[in-house]
Amino acid sequence: MSTRSTARRVIAALAGVLLAGSMAACGNSDTGGDAGDGGNDKIVLGFSQVGAESGWRTANTTSIKEAAAAAGIELKFDDAQQKQENQIKAIRNFIQQKVDVIAFSPVVESGWDTVLKEAKDAKIPVILTDRAVDSADKSLYKTFLGSDFVKEGRLAGEWLVEQKKAASGPVNIVELQGTTGSAPANDRKKGFAEAIAANPNLKIVASQSGDFTRAGGKQVMEQFLKANPKIDVLFAHNDDMGLGALEAISAAGKTPGKDITIITVDAVKDGMQALADGKFNFIAECSPLLGPQLMELAKKVKAGEEVPARIETEETTFTQEQAKEALPNRKY
Ligand code: GYE
């Protein structure tokens, strides 16, 4: 009995080896490269990036390029220079080239249904990374990998509520928003507003887009300072705009981090340095290191495996003391 079952197991194992060998040979000899041919050709991933507007974005691009190389995935990378029309063009190119998977970080939330439908009709799975779209039809993409931006805004607001709980009079806040219509701008604004509603003394007196750039942050902060004699707090939707605003604040003869409390989002190296130096007061982290998870997902959707509809990035917050501790080991 036991000898026979051992023999059966050996035969089964041998058959498995032979089958695997023949499949590999089949894959190797298949140079056609058609999608879904079951061969072991390199996965081709078309990725449409927003642009290079911030330190966060540069770190995100590096993460994606490095992770693709490490995973043996062929990456077709396109930089849309913060324009939706460029992203739509890039996605259409990827469809024409018959890539295996398309991933993109949508610059704004709206206006993607048509091109996503085109990808679906071409049977190319789409992964959203970093930013979301507002499409009602969730079957237009496989998954969304990225941060909870509402939570980031809320954490920023909650910290401020705690800091200003003893304030007896109005606390005037100015807000530098990210790119108009983008998910992080919409959501960070929402989360922050919800949190500060806990204290009616906390009032947003001006709120405008600085497009997530240093130049934008500087320019809009200059206007804020001219128009508002009393600014107590700046909430900037990313580090870069906060860094740009530092110049405007110093030029206006005020001390950032003291005369004006500064809260930002991201926690890239330059932001963390400003926090450790006492120029910023608080940062809600947003991790750009999405590359490795994105490559895992690309492999899974290419193989037709089920993936969760939403994958959230883990993040934390930093005070000045925590930034001093974390800085030496910061990766981006
Ligand atoms: O916070 C900002 C970047 O979409 C999370 O885009 C990203 C944001 C990030 O330009 O710095």
Side-chain angles (χ1 to χ4, degrees):
M1 231 355 224
S2 79
T3 349
R4 219 186 279 160
S5 71
T6 311
R8 230 184 276 143
R9 247 181 271 141
V10 171
I11 290 167
L14 274 174
V17 169
L18 285 173
L19 184 65
S22 70
M23 273 169 63
C26 184
N28 285 339
S29 63
D30 174 11
T31 47
D34 287 334
D37 61 3
N40 61 356
D41 292 350
K42 248 188 175 188
I43 294 178
V44 180
L45 171 68
F47 180 72
S48 163
Q49 179 61 292
V50 169
E53 74 282 4
S54 64
W56 190 100
R57 190 64 53 197
T58 330
N60 181 244
T61 294
T62 305
S63 169
I64 287 165
K65 287 185 174 168
E66 286 178 358
I73 288 179
E74 185 184 333
L75 181 69
K76 292 187 184 292
F77 182 90
D78 185 88
D79 175 339
Q81 306 191 335
Q82 285 187 287
K83 291 205 176 77
Q84 182 173 33
E85 69 213 66
N86 291 347
Q87 286 200 295
I88 292 176
K89 246 186 243 162
I91 295 169
R92 289 202 167 121
N93 275 337
F94 295 148
I95 296 173
Q96 251 175 13
Q97 294 170 49
K98 295 192 168 61
V99 300
D100 296 309
V101 181
I102 293 174
F104 79 116
S105 172
V107 59
V108 291
E109 284 189 279
S110 306
W112 300 101
D113 287 25
T114 309
V115 74
L116 287 176
K117 183 88 186 2
E118 288 166 20
K120 193 180 173 191
D121 290 346
K123 299 198 169 38
I124 301 177
V126 173
I127 300 173
L128 301 180
T129 172
D130 160 31
R131 297 184 183 177
V133 299
D134 64 3
S135 304
D137 181 358
K138 307 283 178 233
S139 79
L140 293 176
Y141 55 91
K142 295 285 176 201
T143 181
F144 166 41
L145 162 69
S147 310
D148 181 342
F149 300 134
V150 178
K151 184 169 156 197
E152 292 166 355
R154 197 186 314 127
L155 290 170
E158 282 169 0
W159 179 83
L160 187 64
V161 168
E162 179 59 27
Q163 292 300 303
K164 301 288 179 187
K165 64 178 178 215
S168 51
V171 175
N172 290 348
I173 305 166
V174 295
E175 180 180 36
L176 281 168
Q177 296 179 37
T179 301
T180 306
S182 69
N186 293 342
D187 294 354
R188 287 172 185 163
K189 182 171 182 39
K190 182 166 177 260
F192 185 76
E194 278 170 11
I196 63 165
N199 181 350
N201 277 328
L202 303 182
K203 267 213 212 100
I204 299 179
V205 294
S207 180
Q208 211 180 298
S209 172
D211 212 10
F212 278 133
T213 65
R214 284 192 195 201
K218 180 175 181 221
Q219 195 201 328
V220 178
M221 192 66 200
E222 280 166 3
Q223 292 169 26
F224 284 166
L225 286 158
K226 269 187 210 143
N228 301 277
K230 180 181 177 285
I231 296 175
D232 303 303
V233 178
L234 162 65
F235 173 46
H237 288 186
N238 78 345
D239 289 337
D240 284 79
M241 291 190 295
L243 292 164
L246 289 181
E247 295 177 40
I249 293 168
S250 304
K254 295 187 194 285
T255 309
K258 300 235 155 46
D259 298 332
I260 299 180
T261 300
I262 302 180
I263 307 167
T264 65
V265 185
D266 276 357
V268 294
K269 263 218 178 106
D270 290 353
M272 289 288 272
Q273 189 64 57
L275 185 58
D277 292 346
K279 295 174 184 163
F280 284 0
N281 303 79
F282 189 73
I283 304 182
E285 185 186 39
C286 178
S287 174
L289 307 180
L290 303 175
Q293 273 173 297
L294 177 60
M295 299 312 142
E296 277 312 303
L297 287 168
K299 285 182 189 170
K300 285 192 175 152
V301 297
K302 168 71 183 10
E305 284 176 39
E306 283 295 313
V307 292
R310 173 81 174 96
I311 299 160
E312 216 177 282
T313 321
E314 271 183 37
E315 342 192 268
T316 182
T317 58
F318 294 98
T319 59
Q320 293 174 336
E321 284 312 310
Q322 289 165 332
K324 277 181 209 158
E325 265 172 51
L327 248 181
N329 301 317
R330 205 71 188 150
K331 299 265 180 311
Y332 55 91

